[in-house]
Amino acid sequence: MSVLTIGGIGCRELADRFGTPLCVYDEKKVIEQAGAAVKNFRSDMFDTEVAYASKAFSSVYLFRLLAAEGLGFDVVSGGELYGAMKAGVDMKKVYFHGNNKSDEEIEMALDAGVGYFVIDNVMECGRLVKLADARGRRVKALLRINPGISAHTHEYIMTSKPDSKFGIYIENREHIGQVIDELADSAGVELAGFHSHIGSQIVDVSSFEKALETMIGFLADMKRERGLDGMELSIGGGFGIKYVEADHPVSLGDMCADMISCAERAASEKGVKIAKLITEPGRAMVGEAGYMLYTIGDMKKSGDKNYIFVDGGMSDNIRPALYGAEYTAVLPERMDESPAVSYCVAGKNCESGDVIIADISLPEVKTGDLLAVLSTGAYGYSMASNYNRLGRPAVVFVRDGEARLVIKRETYADMYSLETEGRV
Ligand code: LLP
């Protein structure tokens, strides 16, 4: 009988040892993605850095694993920064993103010695300069530019429309100029370069190339208008992965290689010098390495639908409800059986939209079967909630037949641990 193993361990053994629902990462796949990115994102013309966008999934263990592969990190909050600090990663390789960073977060990052702030807007720039100068800190900054490229992806994860909440629109030269002038006068904050990110789960290479060419054109403008040359440029992340059969993403390694040759070509054509090119993949680093293991409970027929209910749901994977995201799944203990029945996989959260897969053909399932939903490693656990007071799942990393518990399952007591006594 053919069964699904992850990192050399069968799913049943993982479920028996750690319980379900369970987030399982194939550690080797994560390392392979990191290696492919680092190897292919290299140039003879400029320095390069791959910074993992930790919002896709973060844990102290993953920070350490990727730091050992030479990666830097994108963090967007004090909470993500805290994890990176706890893991002891090199703070010089940390890029602190986020719109509306609080003063406390800015101070925390300055004190931690982060390498870069990615400035979102004019007001943030003013606050950062004041806080850095007051503390006598020196830090580099990238200014986030919205290049106005629309890529094909879900509207909620599209970040580069002209009215987007992120960055300063490329044609708003007044605000861009204000940031440049303010940083020119600051002793503490140095404008090292610019940043752009056009959205997430984008599979067409041409959108990324268009964004990169636009940003290098922008660097040429900055050279001509402002005398700025030899700047750093971050191209963000957003590389799509395979969720279902119909998805045909370009591999992360190939995408990185393509971005490098595109940047080299555009920089030569436009006569600009790039000091360093940075990319920030999140999803592509961990998405396909992650599996969500559920146990199938009750089943029922409702109208035309055959529901199978799993022991988690939208509280551990909000993506189908939020974005209409599609997933596929397998019965890990019955891999050689042919699909026979169409099912709707729903969770146990109290909401009609709590559907993980609207329609999937599987061998006829029985209560107690395991179900493995594929490609759940990005934005699954990291967007999990306690809706209906369901505890968040445990997370294990598996490699060469060894499973490591990285995050414990959340207990009822954990969930109520922040509450005060509540006597009436
Ligand atoms: N850099 C910046 C500035 C970003 O805003 C993001 C993602 C990334 C890098 C990483 O993008 P990735 O390589 O992971 O696509 N919750 C949504 C995705 C939101 C992405 C937000 N920013 C989802 O579940 O699809």
Side-chain angles (χ1 to χ4, degrees), residues 48-64:
T48 55
E49 179 139 82
V50 179
Y52 169 62
S54 62
K55 69 202 82 180
F57 170 68
S58 72
S59 74
V60 170
Y61 182 67
L62 182 63
F63 275 122
R64 289 190 179 139

Side-chain angles (χ1 to χ4, degrees), residues 173-210:
R173 297 295 161 103
E174 187 195 335
H175 285 184
I176 293 169
Q178 280 173 24
V179 170
I180 294 173
D181 290 342
E182 178 140 24
L183 296 187
D185 289 341
S186 159
V189 189
E190 174 204 348
L191 179 66
F194 298 93
H195 173 282
S196 73
H197 170 82
I198 56 171
S200 203
Q201 183 57 15
I202 298 167
V203 290
D204 68 314
V205 184
S206 64
S207 298
F208 289 113
E209 289 176 343
K210 213 158 94 193

Side-chain angles (χ1 to χ4, degrees), residues 3 17 19 55 95 109 165 174 211 250 282 301 309 354 368 402:
V3 299
R17 270 176 70 185
K55 69 202 82 180
Y95 298 75
K165 84 164 189 168
E174 187 195 335
V250 177
K301 194 156 170 99
F309 297 139
D354 175 29
E402 288 201 21

